[in-house]
Amino acid sequence: MMPPTFSPDPSSLRVKSKISDRIQAIPRSGIREFFELVLNAGDVISLGVGEPDFATPWHIREAAIYSLEKGQTSYTSNLGLLDLRKSISKYVAQKFHVTYDPTKEVIVTVGVSEALDLAFRALLNPGEEVIYHEPCYVSYSPTIYMAYGVPVVVETRAEDNFALRAAAVEACITPKTKVIMLNFPTNPTGAVMDPVELQGIADLAIKHDLIVITDEIYSELLYDERDHPSIAALPGMKERTILMHGFSKAFAMTGFRLGYACAPPELTEAMMKIHQYSMLCAPITAQVAAVEALEHGAAPMEEMRKAYWRRRNLVVHKLNAAGLPTFQPGGAFYAFPDIRSTGMTSREFATRLLEEEKVAVVPGTAFGKAGEGFVRACYATDETQLAIALDRIADFAQRHRR
Ligand code: PLP
């Protein structure tokens, strides 16, 4: 019998050396890394993963089931089912007041995740720069980098309600800038955009001939009677904007893996070329379900939004009362408390909270360096569990106050 080997397997080292430098250089997502710890921690209340606790509304699931019963199991057009593109076009026109031709300005993708990848690959030559705001969704920087672009960060600050200022964007523009990337309401802060600053950014895009990508994935989840204009609808912007949206958050359809991008025909065609060779099309079952979501999903979506709104109020109140200053998010389903009063780093706070109180939150640094001193708590969580988690966080903060 062969003796057990304890030294690193030379064949695995050889294989590792074959992986491209660019992929070796990318770290794993800070969220995923942290959640390996959570899995080993046993019975934990998770405010971690940014995913609705609701199952997809039944009428949407039923549409998916019925489509399978009817034997709808084929590929679709590369751009997606025309019926779905028509529904998307109608929905986007009603919601954002900008119209897209469903035959050549809409592409259905495997989530906003794929839309981001397609857009950056379609737009960027090596070394071209994308300006985006941090703290932000974990995928932006690596997706830009994998498309050979250069991520350029504008940091937003709690003291300024995590607002993005046009002047800060302007300060980052160089001859290599090609894209400005926006996400409002923002993951992980829940920040919303000031209309004056939005217009300022549109003016910059026009003046410097830049493309804007706007990730609208949380745009239904707004609180306090807030309006949410998309930059795509401002004068002169439709022709230079890629509007991305999806079904994961507001319709609670994360597992369906469906999203879309609306863009001028030339950009849609360029994204379609990549999609056609890498993905072919999004799954038909999810596409059929998405038509149902867009056509008849408004009422259940509103019920879920109201539940998130109630939870937001509870979470912000309790965290502030616990001595963890928390900005009142205008949208999405995240709170981003300031944990500096404990003297811990974000990672230490999240790790010790997990060990001592069995509550999982994500270190703010998973969303960029500007997230140091903060953690993200997702309140798309059952209300009873959420209340218990908040009590435990308060005990923890009290025990560790400096
Ligand atoms: N954009 C933002 C801002 C997100 O927070 C997420 C998921 O958390 C995504 C995109 C990915 O969405 P999808 O499930 O549509 O790929």
Side-chain angles (χ1 to χ4, degrees):
M1 204 163 97
M2 293 283 286
T5 46
F6 296 109
S7 54
D9 175 358
S11 71
S12 104
L13 288 180
R14 227 182 9 256
V15 170
K16 193 157 185 266
S17 75
K18 304 287 181 204
I19 294 167
S20 83
D21 297 343
R22 196 155 276 267
I23 299 307
Q24 290 208 44
I26 306 175
R28 295 177 73 196
S29 151
I31 301 188
R32 292 289 147 202
E33 199 196 335
F34 189 71
F35 273 84
E36 310 242 310
L37 291 180
V38 175
L39 281 179
N40 296 328
D43 191 15
V44 167
I45 303 181
S46 178
L47 312 183
V49 179
E51 162 154 68
D53 58 314
F54 298 104
T56 308
W58 174 243
H59 69 109
I60 300 174
R61 284 185 270 160
E62 215 170 25
I65 294 165
Y66 189 43
S67 90
L68 287 170
E69 279 181 355
K70 282 194 292 188
Q72 291 181 307
T73 54
S74 58
Y75 293 133
T76 69
S77 137
N78 297 130
L79 286 176
L81 288 172
L82 184 58
D83 276 354
L84 174 56
R85 283 180 280 140
K86 285 183 180 164
S87 292
I88 290 170
S89 173
K90 189 171 84 179
Y91 182 84
V92 168
Q94 275 166 3
K95 177 163 177 51
F96 299 108
H97 314 293
V98 52
T99 51
Y100 291 96
D101 179 342
T103 65
K104 51 179 193 271
E105 294 184 316
V106 179
I107 178 169
V108 177
T109 57
V110 178
V112 170
S113 304
E114 195 213 350
L116 286 163
D117 182 44
L118 296 181
F120 291 132
R121 286 207 273 162
L123 287 166
L124 298 174
N125 291 307
E128 288 178 337
E129 295 172 359
V130 179
I131 299 173
Y132 65 97
H133 48 106
E134 268 186 8
C136 74
Y137 178 48
V138 291
S139 282
Y140 296 154
S141 172
T143 312
I144 295 163
Y145 179 75
M146 284 191 285
Y148 295 87
V150 178
V152 176
V153 174
V154 177
E155 293 194 347
T156 61
R157 307 243 153 249
E159 300 75 58
D160 193 23
N161 293 343
F162 296 104
L164 180 63
R165 305 277 164 204
V169 173
E170 186 163 30
C172 293
I173 294 176
T174 74
K176 295 212 159 175
T177 307
K178 190 172 241 180
V179 179
I180 300 172
M181 166 90 228
L182 303 176
N183 168 229
F184 292 98
T186 305
N187 173 10
T189 60
V192 291
M193 189 70 190
D194 176 322
V196 174
E197 298 295 336
L198 193 69
Q199 182 60 60
I201 290 170
D203 294 343
L204 286 176
I206 292 169
K207 179 170 156 204
H208 296 273
D209 193 19
L210 305 176
I211 298 287
V212 174
I213 298 177
T214 179
D215 175 349
E216 303 283 0
I217 196 155
Y218 295 103
S219 58
E220 286 84 3
L221 304 180
L222 289 168
Y223 313 119
D224 316 318
E225 314 294 320
R226 211 172 285 277
D227 194 20
H228 172 74
S230 172
I231 198 163
L234 297 182
M237 288 307 294
K238 183 193 157 186
E239 43 276 60
R240 57 177 67 253
T241 300
I242 303 179
L243 181 155
M244 293 179 182
H245 202 352
F247 297 86
S248 289
K249 311 294 175 171
F251 292 105
M253 290 174 69
T254 46
F256 282 80
R257 306 305 308 120
L258 208 69
Y260 53 90
C262 301
E266 303 76 8
L267 284 180
T268 306
E269 168 70 16
M271 290 191 282
M272 195 277 286
K273 281 203 283 186
I274 306 167
H275 175 75
Q276 153 183 92
Y277 293 126
S278 57
M279 204 63 66
L280 209 158
C281 66
I284 188 169
T285 315
Q287 294 193 52
V288 174
V291 175
E292 175 65 21
L294 291 175
E295 296 295 328
H296 305 113
M301 185 211 285
E302 178 57 9
E303 284 307 305
M304 291 188 272
R305 189 195 67 82
K306 281 193 191 136
Y308 298 138
W309 169 74
R310 279 195 307 273
R311 296 174 195 179
R312 181 209 61 172
N313 295 341
L314 174 78
V315 169
V316 171
H317 171 73
K318 290 256 187 167
L319 290 173
N320 278 306
L324 301 174
T326 303
F327 151 77
Q328 166 120 308
F333 41 48
Y334 307 107
F336 205 57
D338 182 340
I339 52 96
R340 287 174 287 188
S341 59
T342 60
M344 295 182 206
T345 64
S346 306
R347 197 172 168 86
E348 251 180 288
F349 183 98
T351 310
R352 293 184 64 179
L353 181 68
L354 183 65
E355 284 164 5
E356 294 176 29
E357 298 287 346
K358 301 267 184 212
V359 173
V361 294
V362 182
T365 42
F367 309 97
K369 280 209 289 285
E372 185 53 276
F374 296 80
V375 294
R376 188 189 77 175
C378 173
Y379 51 84
T381 306
D382 166 79
E383 268 163 63
T384 316
Q385 293 285 92
L386 188 59
I388 298 172
L390 289 166
D391 287 343
R392 292 187 191 173
I393 294 174
D395 288 347
F396 180 82
Q398 171 110 43
R399 239 184 4 258
H400 294 288
R401 180 147 311 119
R402 282 269 172 100

